[in-house]
Amino acid sequence: MTTRPGRGTAGPPTGRRGGPQGRGPRGSGARPEDRSEKSGPGAARASGRPAGGVPKTPGAGTPRRPARGAAVPPPRKGEPGAAAPKRTPARDRGKDREPGGRPAAKPTSKSAGKTAGKTANRTTRPPAKGAPKGTARDTGKAAAKTPAKASAKADGKGRPRKGGRPPGPPRPPRRPRPRVPFRRRDPIKRLNAGLLVVAFVLSLFAGRLVQLQTIESAAYTERAKRQRLQTIDLPAVRGDITDAQGNPLAMTVEARAVFADPLMIEPKDRQKVVSKLAPMLGLDPDHVMKVISKTGSRFEYLAHGVRPDRARLVTAEKLPGIGTLPEYRREYPNDDLAAGVIGFVNAEGEGGAGLEYSMNKQLAGQAGWQRVEISPEGQHIPMGEDQKQPSVPGRGLRLTLLRDLQYKAQEAIEERVRETGARNGSVIVMDVRTGQLLALASAPGYDPNDYGRYPEERWNSPIVREAYEPGSTGKVITAAAVMEKGGVTPETPFTVPYSITRYDRRFHDSHHHPTQRLTFAGVLATSSNVGTILASERISQQTLYQFLRAFGFGEKTGIGLPGETAGSLSPPSKWSGTDRYPISFGQTVSVNALQMASVYATIANNGVRVAPNLILGSTGEDGSFTPAPAPERRQVISADTARKLRDMLEGVISEEGTAPKARIKGYRVAGKTGTAEIVNPSCGCYRGGGYTASFAGFAPADDPQLVVQVVLQNPRRGSHYGGDAAAPVFKDVMSFALQTRKIPPTGSKPPTVKIYARD
């Protein structure tokens, strides 16, 4: 054991490294005390440490400037100028750690300061040989700095500070915070928490799947279908309309439908599409813009029945979202021939007038459909869903009309309407034995291929649509009634003045004449209103009403044309005291032209009324023919009365009658003129309303085959009498019809009809 030297005495030098005063064992972490230190106050001053060997912490007291030549302790670890610590060999690592691998605890009390002081003393070496007394040499790799250098460094300019205190000792390094050991929590709890989170997220997904696949599955399925599936109509082939000989009057030809896919048309391209398509297809630009601007739609029709050549122009434009589909269009090869009877098919493919309208269900058939999958680009997906319901073709109609006879009748009435300035006119040709209508012509007409250019009042035939007062042509019904029920014969005489008064009304004939003595045949031949009133007074008004009903007044003919009027015929209970008189000569009641033609066909057919009929039957797609039901037949008057009436009506065509212009060379002709006043709607009276000129007749009179009825409404040029305005048309059409039907003259002599009675 070494004894510290006394105060103020100098001890022996510690010797070189490795001597007894050298460093302690390697890796011990402690150095041996410096035996060259002196004990006592002097030693403390020489070493720069306070007495007692315990160094003061920085700032613990006022530092003293070291004496000249005194040794400066080396800087501590971590301080500026301190040498880097040597690496501890691997075999000595961990010797300063506690059992279990933890670092050894560092001193924190005063003892720690003392230990640090001792360690600092042990690291100081004695001055080298030849060095000035009182200096010391650092045992580390870097030499200790002199106070002058330390002062210069503190000044920052390489020179000591001027005035003030010298720099104190360097600060000790900051002690590192003790490491807190990481302790892992229970992994089972973490795993359970993670599983709960995953289970919660999966439950949300499962709930959404249940919502999509069960609760809202129908709605989403429907939306998906709307996006993917498109239904395309498959129009049925419309049945043709032909005349009795199979000549087409209305036919179906190949055409194209123009459609749009609004989703494929960009908003910036819409105006371009409208400007191209509207004039090309003859459509309203606003309508086209509305169609192509629809949202949520992939298929919209723009036009139907477009001709193939025009459809090719549409496709040549290559407009986005615009395409064509094959379909059919209605075509009328004879233009305006029988347009009032046939009608037309509108832009929607449905009948708009005539038989096309009334028989639309039979003609149109049943449309089909095809459901296909469409890609977002508008292309048909070949292997996608493809369901199809085939269309059922419509059945055609075969009419009783004869095309050539129809053409002649239409030509004759159009010409007469132009000559007389009549509002309209009509011609009916009817087979008296079968009730078949061989011609139904009216003027002015229209072209069903371009029906939009004509007013709507022309679309339907005035033959059945317009009611008028028959006038003198209705006198034959009164004649039949008084001959059947009143005991009147053709030779029964009547004294006929120009006018008579019944109750408060005065009735007169159309021409002024002196009082005449006429037979009943003469009354009918001269068309005397007064004579007819006198004959009608031999029957009751109820009997007159029954005969009017039996001949078809007050009921529709039922030929199938739309808009037919039944006319007006009130029962006797609603007649006023004087109604029976004008009714007897064809006023105060109204009929359509076909009803009046049926009256003369009944007389010509020996008193048997055959309901007028226009449709022979229907034809299938394969050309098979199904005849229509037979028309209704009923006996209205006796054959004897019918024969007598026919003879009496031949007198009308004589030179003494009212219609000599209706005579046909070589044929016996019978008929009756009619000139009726038209009610003026502005006043409800006949004044200023105009006239209806008509003529109805049949030929040959002794073996009737055909009936021709001519009606002109309000002729304004020339004569307005039926014998002048309508009889010439009868002659022209009847002559052509007799030749077309190859009906020869009978060659018999006409009977002698007594017009005037002899006393």
Side-chain angles (χ1 to χ4, degrees):
M1 181 174 181
T2 307
T3 306
R4 292 179 180 270
R7 186 173 186 176
T9 61
T14 58
R16 297 183 181 275
R17 182 180 299 182
Q21 293 81 19
R23 300 177 63 174
R26 179 179 292 180
S28 62
R31 296 181 180 179
E33 297 180 0
D34 190 355
R35 287 179 171 77
S36 62
E37 296 180 10
K38 298 180 180 180
S39 60
R45 286 192 299 268
S47 61
R49 290 185 295 139
V54 180
K56 292 184 179 180
T57 57
T62 303
R64 298 188 225 176
R65 178 184 292 245
R68 182 179 298 271
V72 179
R76 299 177 182 177
K77 184 179 180 180
E79 293 182 357
K86 292 185 178 180
R87 296 180 60 88
T88 305
R91 63 177 177 270
D92 295 332
R93 293 175 187 170
K95 291 182 179 180
D96 56 343
R97 304 178 73 87
E98 295 178 355
R102 296 183 181 180
K106 296 184 178 180
T108 58
S109 61
K110 293 182 179 181
S111 60
K114 294 178 181 180
T115 305
K118 291 179 180 180
T119 303
N121 291 333
R122 286 196 296 268
T123 58
T124 305
R125 289 185 180 183
K129 186 177 181 179
K133 189 177 181 178
T135 62
R137 185 168 58 91
D138 191 349
T139 60
K141 295 181 180 180
K145 295 182 180 180
T146 61
K149 292 183 179 180
S151 176
K153 185 174 182 180
D155 188 37
K157 295 183 180 180
R159 62 180 183 271
R161 297 179 184 174
K162 295 181 179 180
R165 294 175 299 177
R171 292 184 180 183
R174 296 180 62 180
R175 292 189 297 273
R177 296 176 60 182
R179 295 181 61 184
V180 179
F182 176 75
R183 297 180 180 179
R184 299 177 181 272
R185 296 184 179 180
D186 189 355
I188 301 299
K189 293 182 179 180
R190 294 197 305 274
L191 180 61
N192 291 339
L195 290 176
L196 286 176
V197 173
V198 172
F200 176 73
V201 174
L202 291 178
S203 67
L204 293 179
F205 290 153
R208 182 58 175 164
L209 285 175
V210 170
Q211 181 185 16
L212 293 177
Q213 296 184 353
T214 59
I215 301 175
E216 300 180 359
S217 62
Y220 283 101
T221 301
E222 184 63 26
R223 288 178 61 184
K225 284 184 178 180
R226 286 199 302 266
Q227 292 176 356
R228 186 181 70 257
L229 297 179
Q230 293 294 328
T231 300
I232 301 174
D233 294 333
L234 300 178
V237 179
R238 194 175 182 88
D240 294 343
I241 300 178
T242 65
D243 72 346
Q245 298 173 341
N247 298 309
L249 301 175
M251 57 192 300
T252 300
V253 297
E254 184 181 355
R256 295 290 184 273
V258 180
F259 70 91
D261 183 351
L263 190 63
M264 297 290 294
I265 305 175
E266 298 291 339
K268 61 184 180 61
D269 296 331
R270 289 174 182 169
Q271 188 57 48
K272 175 184 175 182
V273 172
V274 172
S275 60
K276 292 284 186 180
L277 285 184
M280 192 179 298
L281 299 177
L283 300 176
D284 182 14
D286 293 337
H287 171 72
V288 177
M289 179 62 74
K290 182 179 179 181
V291 171
I292 67 175
S293 301
K294 287 185 178 180
T295 58
S297 176
R298 296 297 307 272
F299 189 89
E300 295 291 337
Y301 279 112
L302 285 172
H304 290 276
V306 179
R307 296 180 183 274
D309 55 346
R310 185 164 296 185
R312 285 192 290 269
L313 295 177
V314 173
T315 56
E317 294 291 339
K318 296 182 180 180
L319 298 173
I322 302 299
T324 61
L325 289 174
E327 64 170 15
Y328 307 97
R329 70 182 302 271
R330 203 63 162 171
E331 191 170 277
Y332 304 93
N334 303 292
D335 299 330
D336 62 346
L337 186 68
V341 176
I342 298 170
F344 60 86
V345 173
N346 58 27
E348 286 73 31
E350 299 179 352
L355 291 174
E356 294 277 28
Y357 173 82
S358 61
M359 304 297 291
N360 182 71
K361 186 175 182 180
Q362 175 179 323
L363 290 167
Q366 185 175 355
W369 52 267
Q370 184 177 14
R371 186 176 292 118
V372 297
E373 288 192 67
I374 303 296
S375 69
E377 292 78 20
Q379 300 296 324
H380 178 205
I381 302 175
M383 301 302 292
E385 181 178 347
D386 192 348
Q387 300 178 1
K388 185 175 182 180
Q389 176 66 47
S391 59
V392 179
R395 293 188 64 84
L397 292 178
R398 184 176 295 177
L399 306 184
T400 59
L401 301 179
L402 295 174
R403 184 182 61 179
D404 295 343
L405 184 55
Q406 175 73 28
Y407 178 81
K408 179 62 179 179
Q410 190 162 317
E411 182 184 51
I413 194 63
E414 286 177 351
E415 182 179 357
R416 196 59 176 164
V417 166
R418 286 194 299 268
E419 291 174 352
T420 61
R423 184 176 73 246
N424 62 59
S426 63
V427 175
I428 300 170
V429 181
M430 185 176 181
D431 188 319
V432 300
R433 298 178 181 180
T434 63
Q436 294 178 359
L437 299 169
L438 307 180
L440 291 173
S442 59
Y446 70 98
D447 184 358
N449 292 305
D450 194 12
Y451 62 89
R453 295 194 302 111
Y454 302 87
E456 292 187 15
E457 56 266 20
R458 295 193 189 183
W459 291 355
N460 290 305
S461 175
I463 292 174
V464 296
R465 181 176 53 84
E466 187 170 2
Y468 68 98
E469 295 187 3
S472 295
T473 55
K475 292 176 180 177
V476 295
I477 300 176
T478 303
V482 298
M483 291 174 69
E484 285 270 306
K485 301 296 183 180
V488 175
T489 65
E491 291 80 18
T492 301
F494 289 91
T495 302
V496 182
Y498 166 70
S499 64
I500 58 174
T501 301
R502 294 293 184 266
Y503 298 101
D504 59 344
R505 291 189 63 182
R506 182 173 178 267
F507 301 96
H508 57 82
D509 287 339
S510 59
H511 296 84
H512 189 274
H513 62 83
T515 301
Q516 298 174 328
R517 185 74 171 168
L518 301 174
T519 63
F520 186 57
V523 169
L524 196 60
T526 59
S527 193
S528 172
N529 296 335
V530 174
T532 304
I533 291 174
L534 295 174
S536 69
E537 290 179 328
R538 299 194 178 191
I539 58 174
S540 67
Q541 61 183 16
Q542 183 65 33
T543 301
L544 179 59
Y545 172 77
Q546 290 174 351
F547 271 82
L548 290 170
R549 291 287 297 176
F551 274 98
F553 278 35
E555 65 181 15
K556 296 180 181 180
T557 62
I559 64 170
L561 291 179
E564 181 178 1
T565 177
S568 64
L569 175 63
S570 301
S573 60
K574 296 184 178 180
W575 293 2
S576 66
T578 58
D579 279 351
R580 62 169 296 166
Y581 303 115
I583 289 175
S584 66
F585 58 82
Q587 299 268 196
T588 314
V589 293
S590 66
V591 293
N592 62 48
L594 186 56
Q595 287 173 323
M596 203 65 243
S598 178
V599 170
Y600 282 84
T602 300
I603 296 172
N605 195 33
N606 295 321
V608 178
R609 183 180 185 273
V610 182
N613 55 93
L614 178 61
I615 300 173
L616 276 177
S618 61
T619 57
E621 186 181 15
D622 57 354
S624 59
F625 176 73
T626 303
E632 180 188 0
R633 304 170 67 94
R634 69 170 181 263
Q635 191 78 38
V636 177
I637 58 176
S638 66
D640 183 61
T641 302
R643 180 185 58 79
K644 291 177 180 179
L645 280 173
R646 290 198 300 269
D647 292 344
M648 294 168 64
L649 291 174
E650 280 193 79
V652 177
I653 311 301
S654 66
E655 289 294 337
E656 296 176 333
T658 59
K661 294 181 180 180
R663 288 185 294 182
I664 299 174
K665 186 177 181 180
Y667 289 89
R668 292 175 60 181
V669 178
K672 184 70 184 76
T673 59
T675 305
E677 293 180 286
I678 299 175
V679 175
N680 188 346
S682 63
C683 63
C685 59
Y686 292 113
R687 185 174 56 255
Y691 296 88
T692 298
S694 61
F695 183 91
F698 46 85
D702 56 336
D703 185 18
Q705 302 286 321
L706 302 174
V707 166
V708 174
Q709 159 103 356
V710 181
V711 178
L712 289 168
Q713 295 292 346
N714 194 25
R716 293 186 295 272
R717 289 192 292 269
S719 173
H720 62 268
Y721 292 106
D724 297 326
V729 180
F730 167 87
K731 177 183 178 180
D732 192 12
V733 174
M734 179 62 85
S735 299
F736 184 85
L738 291 171
Q739 295 173 11
T740 301
R741 300 283 287 183
K742 297 181 173 58
I743 300 173
T746 59
S748 60
K749 292 183 179 181
T752 302
V753 178
K754 293 182 178 181
I755 304 297
Y756 298 97
R758 302 286 187 249
D759 294 335

